Amino acid sequence: MGRTRSAVAGSAGGEQVPRGRTRWGLSAARVVLPALFLLPFLIVLAGIVRSEPDDRSGGRKPVHVPCSEALAFGGAGLPDGARPVGECTMQGFQDIHYSASFRMPRTGVQIWLAHTYPAAPAPGTEFCAGADADLCLDLGYARGLPDGVDADAVQVRVEYEDAGTALVRFASFTL
């Protein structure tokens, strides 16, 4: 008797198995086994992602730090007669950014800058583009930043508020 291929797939031991069932079992195994192998990895990955804080800034939320720390990162100190304005902050992930704002006597700004950064060019207004400032100073290692400073760059913006007071915004950061 002749059997047709479409009716019977294999007949080991005289048992007749329909052709589609054998192939379906192999196809399912090809899909399920890799998925079972990857399942522990996916569970661990989901746990890591879920454990991260909901921080849309990439871990760079500002944290409050002492103003002395913020200024020291850029090689400076709080000048005599200065009063911090608000909180001094640090943000960081791969790069670090410190910021500080303080008020000081207007007459002491130039002296403080010259004492803090003796190799820096004289502060002026040519680097104040886009900033509402009366005096600016941008420093890097090639432009007056002293050796041994942790920051790669320092920016100082000074606004003269009245005849006797200056508001200084200080930023130091790595690149």
Side-chain angles (χ1 to χ4, degrees):
M1 272 200 210
R3 288 188 250 178
T4 63
R5 280 189 136 199
S6 61
V8 178
S11 58
E15 190 177 323
Q16 292 185 352
V17 179
R19 182 177 183 163
R21 286 201 181 162
T22 303
R23 289 194 176 156
W24 169 247
L26 289 174
S27 295
R30 287 182 185 147
V31 172
V32 171
L33 287 176
L36 288 175
F37 177 74
L38 291 175
L39 187 62
F41 173 73
L42 293 174
I43 290 171
V44 169
L45 182 62
I48 290 171
V49 169
R50 190 174 300 138
S51 69
E52 291 295 318
D54 185 21
D55 179 6
R56 300 185 198 290
S57 65
R60 297 181 183 180
K61 284 186 177 181
V63 295
H64 300 293
V65 296
C67 290
S68 59
E69 178 182 331
L71 291 163
F73 188 75
L78 198 61
D80 292 334
R83 307 178 313 278
V85 175
E87 298 286 333
C88 297
T89 61
M90 187 274 291
Q91 278 181 278
F93 179 62
Q94 291 178 337
D95 297 324
I96 298 172
H97 183 275
Y98 280 90
S99 63
S101 295
F102 54 90
R103 284 190 173 87
M104 66 178 293
R106 181 176 175 162
T107 56
V109 171
Q110 295 275 2
I111 297 165
W112 173 70
L113 287 172
H115 176 71
T116 303
Y117 302 111
T125 57
E126 66 271 10
F127 297 109
C128 296
D132 186 24
D134 297 304
L135 190 67
C136 298
L137 183 62
D138 290 341
L139 302 173
Y141 284 112
R143 187 172 162 81
L145 200 59
D147 292 334
V149 173
D150 293 326
D152 295 326
V154 170
Q155 295 177 337
V156 181
R157 304 290 182 259
V158 180
E159 295 174 38
Y160 296 131
E161 295 183 317
D162 57 37
T165 307
L167 174 63
V168 179
R169 298 184 200 295
F170 181 92
S172 58
F173 47 91
T174 58
L175 301 174

